[in-house]
Amino acid sequence: MAKRKFGLFTAIALAGSVFLAGCGGDTATDSGGSGEGGEAKDPEFLSVLTGGTTGTYYPLGGAMATIIENETGIDTTAEVSQASAANMTALADGDAQIAFVQTDTAFYAAEGSNMFEGEVIDTVSAIGALYPETIQLVTTADSGIASFEDLKGKKVSVGAPASGTYINAEQLLEIHGMTMEDIEEQNLDFAESQESLQGGQIDAAFITAGTPTGAVESLSATADVSIVPVADDKAAELIEKYPYYAKDTITSGTYGLTEDVPTVSVLAMLVVQNDLSEDLVYDITKAIYENTDQIQHAKAKLIKAETALDGIGIDVHPGAQKYFDEVNK
């Protein structure tokens, strides 16, 4: 049972949306909450929470919103947001229906740990994983920063407090024998990090996003970008302690890099309110995973039904599970 009051959540959701039964003329079965006689009452408007405009979630979310609207006939809009942690809270509060989130952040929400300490969210479930969210420690070639140890005493952007990026930064510093107290912590979003690196106000920035990331690409247009590597032994140590991480590589040519840079990643995923019907979530899932050719972003090629359940640490919505069971059998 969520520590949030479910009755309030339901009241907000009902007051904020006008519902209709079924989808495409069919009567749907509501997996999370049903109307009279068991008929689903899904919204006639869907909101997809993404992230900041210079990250990866926003352009992908815009493309997915268009696909969902075209395939389901439901008005769907992508919304700018504060990304993972804020998105989980917004869905639990009934402020949106679908959201992008990091797999590690969703796991914390489900168990009530880290930024969700004492606040279990069990009214949100998974649609599926999308692509690796690469942890990028970004600096410039003239900063003198070549390793994590070089961050000591430097001004480093670590994202908003309690954000997914912040926790990633905290855990990577930990593995390198450091804490937030060893740096001059700056709580900036991706766009602010880019501008501050360009202006020399900060020395480095943690950015967790699919590559190439818009903010880092913009930085590379005016400065020589350098990405601090995560050594193989440190990556292995991190994964052993926090198994939702995976080894990753930022390839040569990205941001003008002249060689591959080893690092780590979590996964980006889509989550949805439990209250949406099984039929509707099935249709949403099918729309996304069968129309990735309509997404004009490099990460689209990584979005596959075959790997959509990899790394998912929370319950999968029955509608999404039904789709993956059909295509992966």
Side-chain angles (χ1 to χ4, degrees):
M1 185 71 179
K3 294 186 180 179
R4 296 178 174 277
K5 295 201 179 293
F6 187 77
L8 176 60
F9 166 73
T10 305
I12 293 171
L14 291 173
S17 304
V18 178
F19 292 84
L20 55 84
C23 182
D26 296 327
T27 299
T29 301
D30 189 346
S31 60
S34 59
E36 296 180 6
E39 293 183 354
K41 292 187 177 181
D42 289 321
E44 56 186 20
F45 176 83
L46 294 170
S47 179
V48 182
L49 297 179
T50 60
T53 57
T54 59
T56 306
Y57 289 170
Y58 185 71
L60 283 176
M64 289 181 182
T66 298
I67 291 169
I68 292 169
E69 182 169 323
N70 289 342
E71 295 297 317
T72 68
I74 299 176
D75 291 339
T76 307
T77 302
E79 308 287 350
V80 175
S81 77
Q82 293 299 311
S84 292
N87 289 354
M88 288 296 293
T89 299
L91 257 65
D93 287 343
D95 296 333
Q97 295 76 40
I98 307 169
F100 284 74
V101 64
Q102 292 175 202
T103 50
D104 54 337
T105 303
F107 176 80
Y108 301 147
E111 69 169 12
S113 63
N114 283 311
M115 68 282 276
F116 298 99
E117 189 68 42
E119 185 187 14
V120 173
I121 294 177
D122 62 2
T123 55
V124 175
S125 52
I127 286 181
L130 301 172
Y131 59 88
E133 287 263 51
T134 306
I135 290 84
Q136 306 165 73
L137 178 50
V138 182
T139 186
T140 56
D142 59 1
S143 70
I145 297 173
S147 68
F148 275 78
E149 289 73 18
D150 292 334
L151 295 177
K152 291 182 178 179
K154 299 295 177 65
K155 294 180 179 178
V156 183
S157 173
V158 294
S163 67
T165 297
Y166 186 96
I167 300 298
N168 297 150
E170 194 171 46
Q171 292 170 344
L172 273 165
L173 288 172
E174 174 196 346
I175 293 300
H176 289 86
M178 302 166 64
T179 70
M180 290 292 180
E181 294 181 0
D182 291 308
I183 63 173
E184 290 190 37
E185 175 185 336
Q186 308 292 309
N187 302 118
L188 308 176
D189 64 23
F190 294 170
E192 291 167 337
S193 293
Q194 171 208 326
E195 293 168 0
S196 296
L197 281 167
Q198 285 176 332
Q201 285 87 31
I202 64 172
D203 302 296
F206 282 91
I207 291 180
T208 300
T211 57
T213 307
V216 189
E217 284 192 305
S218 295
L219 177 64
S220 70
T222 61
D224 291 331
V225 167
S226 178
I227 307 293
V228 178
V230 178
D232 188 70
D233 62 327
K234 291 298 182 183
E237 186 179 345
L238 182 73
I239 294 165
E240 182 176 359
K241 185 165 187 179
Y242 303 108
Y244 39 76
Y245 284 99
K247 292 181 181 180
D248 200 359
T249 301
I250 302 173
T251 57
S252 174
T254 307
Y255 314 133
L257 298 173
T258 57
E259 58 184 20
D260 291 352
V261 178
T263 185
V264 292
S265 64
V266 289
L267 286 170
M269 67 186 291
L270 283 177
V271 294
V272 64
Q273 286 180 328
N274 288 351
D275 277 4
L276 295 189
S277 74
E278 181 175 321
D279 283 358
L280 176 56
V281 176
Y282 174 92
D283 290 342
I284 291 170
T285 308
K286 179 181 176 71
I288 292 168
Y289 286 90
E290 294 190 1
N291 291 282
T292 56
D293 59 323
Q294 297 180 31
I295 301 173
Q296 301 302 310
H297 192 284
K299 291 302 175 189
K301 63 184 179 182
L302 301 177
I303 302 173
K304 300 177 181 179
E306 294 81 2
T307 57
L309 298 181
D310 294 349
I312 300 296
I314 65 173
D315 291 340
V316 178
H317 193 286
Q321 187 68 59
K322 178 182 177 181
Y323 172 74
F324 295 127
D325 286 346
E326 288 180 0
V327 300
N328 293 327
K329 63 183 177 181

